[in-house]
Amino acid sequence: RRPGETDRRCCEINRAFGQAYERCHLASRFTCVHGTVQEPRNVVRLSIPALLAFRDLALSTVLATIEAGGEDLRADARDEITSALNEAYNNIVLHAYRGVHGGRIELSVSASAGEVEIQLGDHGRGFDPEAVSTYVEIGAGGERDIDFASLPESGMGLFIMRSFMDEVTYTRGGAGKPNVLVLRKRWPVGGDQA
């Protein structure tokens, strides 16, 4: 690295964090569908360079979008969202864009009371989620039995996402359309919190 390169990069990232925070507060609005007003939602969209250095920007954007709506997110829900988003972001950078420079991640976050939807789009290599083992055996009584000792590295990120989020869907792109990973998380609101 050349002298000053790290300082410029830090300033660039800090400026992006500030812009993302400001957008979160400006994005809170009512959503209109077919002439009816739905609940207030915070919607933020960012186009982020597919570099690990920007992962924290994606996470900060998601958490700020949730908090901009006045949500008091429990620590366990915050940790689960953090783990799932970090895995999703890492998978895009390390697998979808492996060997590709200049890739971008299109992040869309939509939050309302007790729910967040996170969409991550990319134009990298897609994958078949059905070909990835779930690593979980469900017993007759509904208990989950995980053999951690035999877990391979491949597919672990998807396993973590599925474990922490209420819904995980993936649509493989092609013909100019992006791959889209959608993560949804719900939590109790107000007096419903345990």
Side-chain angles (χ1 to χ4, degrees), residues 29-41:
R29 66 188 188 332
F30 285 93
T31 304
C32 233
V33 177
H34 302 293
T36 62
V37 177
Q38 295 182 332
E39 61 192 279
R41 295 187 70 82

Side-chain angles (χ1 to χ4, degrees), residues 72-90:
D72 187 20
L73 192 59
R74 290 186 344 216
D76 61 337
R78 182 185 184 97
D79 292 346
E80 291 171 351
I81 291 168
T82 298
S83 294
L85 181 65
N86 284 342
E87 287 298 331
Y89 194 95
N90 289 351

Side-chain angles (χ1 to χ4, degrees), residues 164-186:
F164 290 139
M165 302 302 279
D166 294 307
E167 295 176 45
V168 177
T169 59
Y170 177 80
T171 305
R172 190 174 192 166
K177 293 184 179 180
N179 303 308
V180 179
L181 177 66
V182 179
L183 307 172
R184 287 186 186 88
K185 180 74 174 173
R186 294 174 198 85

